[in-house]
Amino acid sequence: MDTSMYLNDNAYGAETEGTFELISKVAYLIGVPKRIFDNEFEPPKLEIYGKMDLDKNARIIRNLCIIRTSIERNFKHINDLMRTQYRTILSMPDYVPAECLRQLNEDGVNFIKKSSTRLSQHIVEINRIICDRINNCKDLFPIWISWDYIRELFIMPNGLTEAGTKTASDLYYSNLNCYPYKVYINWIPRNEGNILYNDKKFATLLYEWHNDVFTDLSMVSDAKSFVKGNIYSFLDDSQKTFLVVDCENSDPYKLCGMLNNLNADELTKITRILLFDDVNASSAWRMLDEYTSIPVEHMLIERIKEDKSLVDIRLATRVCQEHYQNHVDSFLIVSSDSDFWGLISSLPEAKFLVAVERENCGPDMRRALEESGIYYCYLDNFYTGNSEQIKFGTLFKEMRHYLNRTVKLNLNDMLAESLHKARIEMTTTERRQFYNKYLRQMSLAVSENGDVTFEFHGK
């Protein structure tokens, strides 16, 4: 195969591009108009708008924010109509969207109080409801982004006082073009361009505003289309492709990110995934088959000597066997180990594509691949923000193993021993009622340093 058609990642400047998950959710909640989501040339994605709009908590915050922005932008006109014509904001659809008021009413939220005779008092009540309800949207965001930083965008400073609303209004109106899509948020307005341009820019700025640094860029960026295109071309040019993984020298979550962000139809061209796993590698490899539709063959390679892994030789042997006996013509190797260059160079008729990790793949290996026209890509460049399932699945599995090893507690045995030591007699009925009332309701209390104690409710 002529591999000169492929250009490796480092032939380009920027190797990743921002994703749009975070900014689409934030744009929805702060009240960016739906027409922006409808425009394919704007960053916020309509698909995420649709998902968010099904969530009552998100819908309430969005409608409150839209109304707050509408009042801030039209304060003088609305205030004059209220003062001179005694109209309420319910009768001003040109200034306060009637659809938002209707949806809030259907969702059981009303910010219009009879005691609110001034327009600024409506803003105070909106601010109060947003403060009370914004945490209901916390679970809509992943745990790797600071919720406290995002939450602050919705909280108007000193917004429960009329003086605070006026200060925020003056700041907003005098810097209107610095706000994203001219929608109100709580920040010090600066000319940053579109802060909702992509997740990468938004997360970076969000942390900078709090004198912090967002470092895990794989959560907010993905490999560029030319990288994915080269992988698709490799698969298209192949008759039979195996994805071969050196688990000892690869990250399961980065591989999962790669598989999650490649076209599903293209991935059907991969016949099988071969995992060559070492006993000291991540336990997540034992769960990979639950998170991909590609058939997975998992080989756990035991060690004869504690300090010597046999993964390399077993992997090389199997690749040769598949190539010569089973006529597999293409291999997508996932490993940063330069030892596999010997395998690649010894099978000149086979096609190879290599996925490496930037920090673990040395310049000599990259140079050898480039000089041989073999395409390689960086696993680090693929988006991993949607890999929480395998991360949390592995984590919970390990925690259950830990608890099963260390915690041996039977409530019936505990009650029987405690009754004996306390010299208390209980009938069968009393025991059952005590068990149901107190023991079944028992809960855990966790301290800041992680210590766990049991609590009996009602006592």
Side-chain angles (χ1 to χ4, degrees), residues 295-349:
V296 175
E297 185 177 339
H298 186 187
M299 288 150 284
L300 184 61
I301 313 300
E302 298 290 341
R303 294 189 174 207
I304 296 177
K305 294 180 63 179
E306 182 62 31
D307 61 345
K308 181 62 177 176
S309 169
L310 299 177
V311 165
D312 294 5
I313 187 64
R314 288 286 299 275
L315 187 154
T317 302
R318 180 62 182 274
V319 167
C320 290
Q321 178 184 351
E322 293 295 341
H323 178 61
Y324 288 113
Q325 293 184 7
N326 300 323
H327 310 295
V328 177
D329 65 321
S330 301
F331 298 92
L332 200 167
I333 302 287
V334 180
S335 177
S336 301
D337 191 344
S338 60
D339 289 348
F340 290 112
W341 174 246
L343 168 67
I344 295 171
S345 58
S346 67
L347 296 177
E349 295 181 0

Side-chain angles (χ1 to χ4, degrees), residues 245-263:
V245 184
D246 169 16
C247 301
E248 192 178 26
N249 290 290
S250 302
D251 186 311
Y253 311 112
K254 291 178 180 178
L255 175 61
C256 201
M258 175 181 173
L259 296 176
N260 283 343
N261 292 285
L262 292 173
N263 184 284

